[in-house]
Each structure stands twice: as structure tokens, then as C-alpha cells.
Amino acid sequence: MHLLSALAFRSISDLTKQYGPLMRLKLGEVDTIVVSSRDLAREMLKQHDPCYADRPDSIGIKVLWYNYRDIAFSPYGDYWRQMRKICIMELLSPRSVRSFASIRRDEVSNLISSIRTSAAIGEPVNISESIFSMMSSVTCRAAFGKVSKDKDTLIKILRDGIQMAGGFEIADFFPSSLLINTFSWTKIRLLMMRHKLDLILDDLIRQHQLSLAKIGSGSEEGDRARKGNGEFGNEDIVDVLLRLQETGELQFPIRKEDIKAVVYDMFSAGTETSSTAMDWAMAELMRNPGAMAKAQAEVRRVFNDTTIMVMGDNDPNLKYLKLVIREALRMHPPVPILPRASREERVIDGYVIPANVKVLVNNWGMQRDPAYWTNPDSFEPERFEECSKEFLGADFDFLPFGAGKRMCPGITFAMASVELVLAQLLYHFDWKLPNGAQPESMDMIENPGVTASRRDSLFAIPTPYKNSA
Ligand code: HEM
């Protein structure tokens, strides 16, 4: 245990260099298997997929994600399947994602306006904060029909929670210790955060119920055309879950706690990972002025002042920008370790992997392994011109969205925002670091937690592009 630093994915990558791609660590009471080669990852996540489709326990997740009643951390099985299907159909399908295009454009346009205000007075912009706040508004509007009035408190709970949810808290290592689990400061902090989260989510559900009752009564002209609380008069994900709860049509009846778990899941998964990906991509571009110039030239060649504002999703002309995004996801996967647990005993590569052990697929380590990548620590988007590796779960040394049954269902939702935001930031502004800082002095270290955001916020001074209105 003493060999693990707060950035566990870095420590286990160091240990892998010494002990090989399949390690068994005894962390307190918890048996942990670490997998760091693409062949083993393929074998476990593809050939033996359902066997490794559980998630491990973590005190932070248990408390903040409602006893694993969400999707991301719930045990593999019918309840998980049911809830995952609802979210994919209502929020994450390509059709739903397309329907949110106006929300994305609206929020990005607010972002660009606020950066313009800073540019006018020559002030540096906190790009990390701006992106995070914008992305949380996109998620709130798409999932809950409007920006929550408690968005800032939700963000605070999310950020603190993520740091405590990596599965490397002392209470995670001694799950059977009543003393540690009842009185640990971690547990007390988590319960306080959960209390605040409950108040916010209870209020969100109550507001939805009140408004649905009003819509149902058809009392006002506007209400009669509406089906739910979604921005376009449709049902949002909270409405859908409330309706399914009422009709009781499901195999697993939905309780209020389940709705809160899924709502918080969508907010957290939708906001944190996508903004982390954008932040790293911007940070790498700032550190690599050649790549920045190339990406900017492309965006400015493809768009002009009118077309940039109506830019669609996944524009095939943004070839270099797509390489930049892929390279940023390779070097800085927002989820650095795929957290899994084994459901049965299996023999992998001649070793017995027991049932019910924690399995960590060391994504970060594989994506920087010199056996698979030339110059793995340098940011070279051009590498993907030659190499056909994709992040769709078939190339097992490049798994930023995971693979197999538990693979991320939010890729389309995420990529629509990541490409749009980066294109707009690059089109409208030239960027330089404040106080004459040099690109190579930028610190590229991560925050600890279940996701790996950049530890330092990215500050930069924007200069509006001459053709940008
Ligand atoms: C760049 C952005 C994103 C990245 C890098 C990312 C990455 C990941 C990864 C690595 C996993 C675990 C996969 C595995 O264990 O194999 C995951 C799971 C998940 N992601 Fe994402 N994600 C992103 C955006 C999103 C968005 C926008 C949403 C929804 C709004 C979302 C929803 C989920 C959910 C619900 C799960 C759990 C799936 C399950 O356990 O069945 N993600 N994501």
C-alpha cells in the first residue's frame, strides 16, 4: 500500500514495469488484479466479457451514488441492463444527441461571449472553469430540461466526490472494519455531501412532479402542447423515470432513490469526463504551438464567420482536430483505470483469477506503453494519420471509453460537445499563456480520483480572431 501514491494509475504503471502486465496486489483486505497489456485486456474484456463486467466496491461511490443504484457503478445484471437501456434510449442515442444541438450551440455561444468580455479587458480566462461550467449547463439542459439553480453546489459535490471515489481511500482497503467504516473522516464527509445532494435532487424531482401535474391538467394554453419538462416540450430523463415509476411497467420497479442515482450519474458522467477531455486537449495545444497553429488554420479554413455559428456535429472536414482529440484521449484518458470486478473464477494467461476480486484495467499505462506507441509521452496528433486505432472498444491498447458490456454509452453525447467547443475556441481566439509563461513550463499532472482531470487550472489570454464578429 505504501507504494501507491494518490495518483494510483501512475504508481501501478511504475509497478508494472517491474512486475509485468498481470499483477496481484493485496491492498489491505482487498485482492486487486492489475491488467496492463492489450492481449490480456482483450482476453478479459472481450472473450470473458460478462465475467469482468462487475464494478468494485468503493465507499465514496456507495454513499454518493446511492448504494450503486445508478448505471455506472451498479452490479452487472438485469437492473443495470434496464436502467442503461432507458438512458441510452432517452438521452444518449444518436437521435437524442442530435436533438440537443441547439442547446450545445447556445451554451457555446454564451461561452464565446463571456471570453470576448475578458479579451476586451486583456484578462486571462480560466479555460478549465469556463469549459466545466458550460458542459454542466449542457448536461443539465439536456437531461433535466433546464440549468439547475443548484448547479454550483452540484459541481462542488461532484468534484470533491470524484476525488474520494477512486477506490483508494483507507476505508476501501478495510471493508470489514466496522471501526474504520463507521468513524472514518472520509465516511463522515461523504455523508455530509450526500445530505446536500439529497436536498438538491429531492427538490429537482419535486419540481418535475409539480410541473407534470400542471401539464397533465392542461390548465394553460402552453401546457397543453407539452408532454414533459424537456426544453422542447418533450419528456426529459426525470419525467421518463417518474412515468415508468408510476406505471410500474418495468421488471424492476423504480424507487425514488434509483431516480436520484441515475440523475446524479448522468450529471456526473456527462459533465466531468467531457470537460476533462476538452481541458487536456486545450492544455496540450497550448504546450504545442505547432499543433495549435495547424488545428487553428484548419478550423479557420473550413468555417467562416457565419458558418462557425451553425457548425454541425462530427464535421468530416475537421480532420486534424479529430486527430488532436484522439491524441489527447490517448495521453490523458479522463478515466485512467477501468474499474471492474470478477464474477467467477477464470484462468487467464495461466494464472487463476479468483471470483469477487477487484480488477483494474490500466488504461493510462497501456496508452503510454512504448511497446504499443512510439514516443508515448509526446503529443503527436499526426501519429493517428498512419495508425488506424480507434477508441470504439476494439483496440485494446486504446480504451479511453472502455470496452465490452460496460463500455461508455455516452460517446456520441461527449464527442458532439468536445469537437464543437474546441473548434469554437480555436476559431474565435488566439491564445497565449499569462505572465509570459513558456509552454514547456506547464505542469501536466493530474488530480487523484476516479477521473483524472488536470490538477492546475488552465489560464490563457484570448485575442479575438480578426474575422470573428
Ligand atoms: C470524453 C468523454 C467521456 C469519456 C472519456 C468516458 C469514459 C468512460 C469510461 C472509460 C467508462 C467505463 C467503461 C468500462 O468500464 O469499460 C465510462 C462509463 C460510462 N459513461 Fe462515459 N465517458 C465520457 C462521457 C460520457 C458522457 C457524456 C456520458 C453521459 C451523459 C457518459 C456516461 C457513462 C455511463 C453511464 C457509464 C457507465 C456504463 C456502464 O457501466 O454500463 N460518459 N465512460
Side-chain angles (χ1 to χ4, degrees), residues 337-348:
I337 293 176
L338 306 181
R340 301 294 188 100
S342 65
R343 302 170 60 239
E344 292 162 22
E345 182 181 295
R346 290 280 160 97
V347 177
I348 302 286

Side-chain angles (χ1 to χ4, degrees), residues 55 72 80 84 92 269-270 273 335 338 340 400-403 406 408-409 414:
R55 298 282 187 212
W80 161 77
R84 183 173 159 120
L92 305 175
T273 46
V335 182
L338 306 181
R340 301 294 188 100
F401 293 98
R406 300 301 295 242
C408 177

Side-chain angles (χ1 to χ4, degrees), residues 339-367:
R340 301 294 188 100
S342 65
R343 302 170 60 239
E344 292 162 22
E345 182 181 295
R346 290 280 160 97
V347 177
I348 302 286
D349 200 29
Y351 294 92
V352 176
I353 312 279
N356 303 318
V357 292
K358 192 167 177 170
V359 174
L360 303 178
V361 180
N362 182 8
N363 207 15
W364 187 91
M366 290 192 293
Q367 295 189 175

Side-chain angles (χ1 to χ4, degrees), residues 45 55 71-73 80 84 91-92 135 139 265-266 269-271 273-274 277 329 333-335 338-340 363 399-411 413-415 418:
L45 301 182
R55 298 282 187 212
I71 300 162
F73 304 109
W80 161 77
R84 183 173 159 120
L91 187 68
L92 305 175
M135 203 50 219
T139 315
D265 219 17
M266 289 302 112
T271 302
T273 46
S274 311
L329 286 169
V335 182
L338 306 181
R340 301 294 188 100
N363 207 15
L399 297 175
F401 293 98
K405 299 218 178 295
R406 300 301 295 242
M407 186 171 173
C408 177
I411 300 185
F413 191 104
M415 293 316 284
V418 172

Side-chain angles (χ1 to χ4, degrees), residues 169-196:
E169 293 290 328
I170 196 77
D172 290 322
F173 298 143
F174 298 98
S176 75
S177 163
L178 207 62
L179 194 70
I180 292 180
N181 273 286
T182 314
F183 298 109
S184 79
W185 173 228
T186 305
K187 176 86 180 269
I188 295 164
R189 264 188 77 194
L190 284 165
L191 287 173
M192 282 167 16
M193 286 154 71
R194 162 73 183 268
H195 177 65
K196 281 191 198 154

Side-chain angles (χ1 to χ4, degrees), residues 167-231:
F168 292 97
E169 293 290 328
I170 196 77
D172 290 322
F173 298 143
F174 298 98
S176 75
S177 163
L178 207 62
L179 194 70
I180 292 180
N181 273 286
T182 314
F183 298 109
S184 79
W185 173 228
T186 305
K187 176 86 180 269
I188 295 164
R189 264 188 77 194
L190 284 165
L191 287 173
M192 282 167 16
M193 286 154 71
R194 162 73 183 268
H195 177 65
K196 281 191 198 154
L197 186 60
D198 270 333
L199 294 177
I200 296 173
L201 297 180
D202 283 337
D203 184 53
L204 182 86
I205 292 174
R206 199 169 35 249
Q207 294 304 328
H208 271 70
Q209 283 168 325
L210 285 174
S211 155
L212 284 175
K214 212 166 122 205
I215 292 167
S217 70
S219 53
E220 285 173 36
E221 186 61 36
D223 288 344
R224 273 193 284 276
R226 295 188 74 86
K227 287 205 178 74
N229 290 294
E231 273 208 17

Side-chain angles (χ1 to χ4, degrees), residues 23-290:
M23 286 190 294
R24 179 172 173 176
L25 309 178
K26 186 86 179 155
L27 301 175
E29 297 172 342
V30 180
D31 255 331
T32 306
I33 305 292
V34 180
V35 180
S36 307
S37 91
R38 74 175 162 209
D39 291 341
L40 292 172
R42 185 185 300 108
E43 192 172 342
M44 294 171 84
L45 301 182
K46 190 174 173 190
Q47 273 143 261
H48 299 274
D49 186 1
C51 178
Y52 297 104
D54 254 346
R55 298 282 187 212
D57 288 336
S58 139
I59 183 168
I61 290 168
K62 186 170 182 188
V63 176
L64 288 179
W65 276 265
Y66 293 87
N67 213 6
Y68 314 116
R69 296 295 289 180
D70 65 329
I71 300 162
F73 304 109
S74 99
Y76 178 72
D78 289 339
Y79 172 81
W80 161 77
R81 209 169 279 115
Q82 168 184 296
M83 301 311 257
R84 183 173 159 120
K85 196 167 150 197
I86 296 172
C87 284
I88 291 180
M89 276 169 45
E90 302 299 334
L91 187 68
L92 305 175
S93 70
R95 188 180 54 84
S96 304
V97 171
R98 268 196 307 279
S99 75
F100 301 135
S102 58
I103 295 180
R104 285 190 292 274
R105 280 206 285 266
D106 201 24
E107 288 299 330
V108 171
S109 151
N110 292 342
L111 172 73
I112 299 299
S113 305
S114 86
I115 296 178
R116 233 181 232 128
T117 312
S118 302
I121 46 176
E123 256 189 13
V125 172
N126 185 338
I127 299 183
S128 315
E129 277 303 317
S130 309
I131 290 176
F132 199 92
S133 171
M134 183 229 63
M135 203 50 219
S136 61
S137 298
V138 170
T139 315
C140 282
R141 287 176 65 180
F144 327 133
K146 62 177 180 194
V147 178
S148 162
K149 64 179 175 25
D150 300 305
K151 191 182 88 167
D152 292 341
T153 317
L154 267 177
I155 290 178
K156 169 98 181 74
I157 297 172
L158 174 59
R159 286 197 153 154
D160 292 348
I162 273 173
Q163 300 215 355
M164 297 159 82
F168 292 97
E169 293 290 328
I170 196 77
D172 290 322
F173 298 143
F174 298 98
S176 75
S177 163
L178 207 62
L179 194 70
I180 292 180
N181 273 286
T182 314
F183 298 109
S184 79
W185 173 228
T186 305
K187 176 86 180 269
I188 295 164
R189 264 188 77 194
L190 284 165
L191 287 173
M192 282 167 16
M193 286 154 71
R194 162 73 183 268
H195 177 65
K196 281 191 198 154
L197 186 60
D198 270 333
L199 294 177
I200 296 173
L201 297 180
D202 283 337
D203 184 53
L204 182 86
I205 292 174
R206 199 169 35 249
Q207 294 304 328
H208 271 70
Q209 283 168 325
L210 285 174
S211 155
L212 284 175
K214 212 166 122 205
I215 292 167
S217 70
S219 53
E220 285 173 36
E221 186 61 36
D223 288 344
R224 273 193 284 276
R226 295 188 74 86
K227 287 205 178 74
N229 290 294
E231 273 208 17
F232 313 112
N234 57 325
E235 287 184 310
D236 63 24
I237 190 87
V238 186
D239 297 329
V240 172
L241 292 167
L242 285 169
R243 171 166 53 76
L244 293 170
Q245 181 185 40
E246 207 161 286
T247 55
E249 285 163 3
L250 296 171
Q251 183 188 1
F252 294 92
I254 299 182
R255 300 166 314 176
K256 191 174 179 194
E257 298 281 283
D258 305 341
I259 300 182
K260 289 197 272 186
V262 170
V263 163
Y264 187 52
D265 219 17
M266 289 302 112
F267 179 76
S268 50
T271 302
E272 169 71 18
T273 46
S274 311
S275 38
T276 295
M278 296 175 208
D279 190 42
W280 278 116
M282 272 305 279
E284 284 294 354
L285 288 173
M286 296 299 300
R287 220 160 80 107
N288 294 275

